[in-house]
Structure formats: C-alpha cells, structure tokens
Amino acid sequence: LAKTTQPISMDSYEGQEVNITCSHNNIATNDYITWYQQFPSQGPRFIIQGYKTKVTNEVASLFIPADRKSSTLSLPRVSLSDTAVYYCLVGDGRAAAGNKLTFGGGTRVLVKP
Amino acid sequence: NAGVTQTPKFRVLKTGQSMTLLCAQDMNHEYMYWYRQDPGMGLRLIHYSVGEGTTAKGEVPDGYNVSRLKKQNFLLGLESAAPSQTSVYFCASSRDYEQYFGPGTRLTVT
C-alpha cells in the first residue's frame, strides 16, 4: 500500500483558502487518491476523490499533477467549522480490492477567527 | 435513513472479558469495515467484508473476530479483552470508494 506524507498541522483564518499537500511517491497505477475529514468524536467523512488532473465538488478541489506523486486538497474560503483533521489516503480504487483504506496521521487544520 | 449505527456507544471491560460490538447499515452496501483509532492517531483497519458471509483480515486483526451473517450487520468480537484494545472503534460501509462511518464506540479495558 502506498505511504502518504502530509503536514501534521496547519493554521488558517476565516475566509482564507487552505491548501494541504500530500506526498505519495510510491503510488501504483490502480491507486486512487481520496481525502476524508474528521471532527472530534466523530467518524471520518468523505470529501473528494481523484485519479489525475483536477477534481472539484461543492466543498473542495483536488489537484493531482501528471506524475501523481503528490496531490493538493484545496478548501476555499474556510470557516471555523472547517477546523478538523484531514486525511489523505491512497489505495486501490477497484471494488475487487475491497475498497480498503489506509489512514495516515492526517493534518490538523485550525481555522481562527 | 439512519446510515451506519453502532452499539454500544461506550463500554468498560475488565481484562479477560469478552464482548461484541454491533454495526448496522441501512444503505444496502456490500462492503463493511471495522477500524480502531487510538488517541492522536489515524484509523487502522481491523477486519473487513466484501459481502454477506465473507470476511477478511485488515491491518491489525489479532485479538478480534468478525462475522457478517446478514448483509446489513457486521459484528466485531473481542474474546479476551486486553488493555491494549482500549480505543475508539469505528464501523463503516460502502458501495464503492466512498465509505460512510458510524459514530464510534469508545471502549476502555481496565
């Protein structure tokens, strides 16, 4: 399973854009990149998933360069409620693999007023 | 539509006792998972299931057993609890790559 490296923590202010970069040098051909968000005392919540280039949904964007050795989660105009731990996961996206996830330590994002 | 529910929410066990954690999902998902999360750490996969009647080992399966007799339920058993199993346990289910997590069970083994 590909190992991921992401910053331990980041601080930001309300209204700013937060970019979290994840390194995954050993990503395999069948691997997808997925990001989850976790609030204290809650289970993680899916944010976004991508394979290459750029993916955008209503809450975030995911940028993946051509070599796929890293990815960047972008949270536009964060609010206090975006304070959470964000996990970058890389794993085989095929159903036959069981859609298993391997969580690393995550990035603690603190949004200040 | 309750999503993923877990029973119980909290439990305290003495070393050597046994217990079963119940996970239920009402989304008709094929895949179900059990994770543990220790303080300040990410989640680690204990066991998972790709369908009714099937189970497989994850990253940290030792000391745990699971069963998936019905599609909507995934049970996690601790036969002889140890202090090292003190943790928060999360269940999840998925149809594809997006996993839906339950609220967690906080287990303390003394």
Side-chain angles (χ1 to χ4, degrees):
Chain A
L1 292 172
K3 179 182 167 67
T4 61
T5 302
Q6 53 184 122
I8 294 175
S9 63
M10 297 179 69
D11 288 357
S12 183
Y13 291 90
E14 280 190 293
Q16 288 188 336
E17 179 181 80
V18 171
N19 295 306
I20 309 171
T21 296
C22 179
S23 172
H24 29 79
N25 291 320
N26 297 321
I27 190 167
T29 303
N30 291 320
D31 286 343
Y32 283 72
I33 300 152
T34 312
W35 287 80
Y36 278 75
Q37 174 192 55
Q38 186 179 28
F39 298 114
S41 301
Q42 294 186 26
R45 184 172 69 102
F46 172 86
I47 301 176
I48 198 166
Q49 186 191 61
Y51 184 80
K52 61 181 178 181
T53 63
K54 177 184 175 182
V55 180
T56 297
N57 62 23
E58 63 275 9
V59 298
S61 294
L62 179 60
F63 300 91
I64 306 169
D67 66 4
R68 303 199 328 122
K69 292 185 184 298
S70 66
S71 58
T72 298
L73 175 73
S74 180
L75 306 171
R77 297 179 299 281
V78 294
S79 63
L80 297 177
S81 62
D82 291 315
T83 292
V85 177
Y86 292 83
Y87 294 98
C88 166
L89 302 104
V90 172
D92 195 326
R94 295 173 299 174
N99 295 309
K100 299 188 300 294
L101 299 177
T102 300
F103 285 81
T107 297
R108 295 184 178 276
V109 172
L110 173 63
V111 180
K112 303 175 182 178
Chain B
N1 193 341
V4 179
T5 58
Q6 294 183 229
T7 308
K9 290 186 170 52
F10 304 93
R11 185 73 186 268
V12 178
L13 288 179
K14 292 188 185 328
T15 298
Q17 287 185 321
S18 64
M19 79 162 295
T20 300
L21 282 67
L22 171 64
C23 176
Q25 53 97 2
D26 61 3
M27 296 173 282
N28 201 35
H29 286 166
E30 289 294 334
Y31 303 95
M32 296 189 75
Y33 314 83
W34 275 108
Y35 296 88
R36 61 176 289 174
Q37 185 173 33
D38 299 324
M41 308 283 286
L43 283 73
R44 291 184 291 171
L45 182 64
I46 304 172
H47 285 280
Y48 67 101
S49 168
V50 300
E52 182 180 319
T54 71
T55 63
K57 294 180 180 180
E59 186 185 352
V60 288
D62 293 342
Y64 305 95
N65 57 76
V66 288
S67 65
R68 182 105 181 264
L69 299 180
K70 293 183 179 180
K71 186 177 184 179
Q72 63 267 34
N73 296 336
F74 196 27
L75 279 63
L76 178 70
L78 286 74
E79 292 185 348
S80 179
S84 60
Q85 294 178 304
T86 293
S87 190
V88 179
Y89 291 85
F90 288 102
C91 174
S93 72
S94 75
R95 178 179 297 108
D96 45 38
Y97 54 79
E98 181 176 349
Q99 293 191 12
Y100 294 80
F101 284 81
T105 294
R106 187 172 296 274
L107 175 66
T108 302
V109 183
T110 61

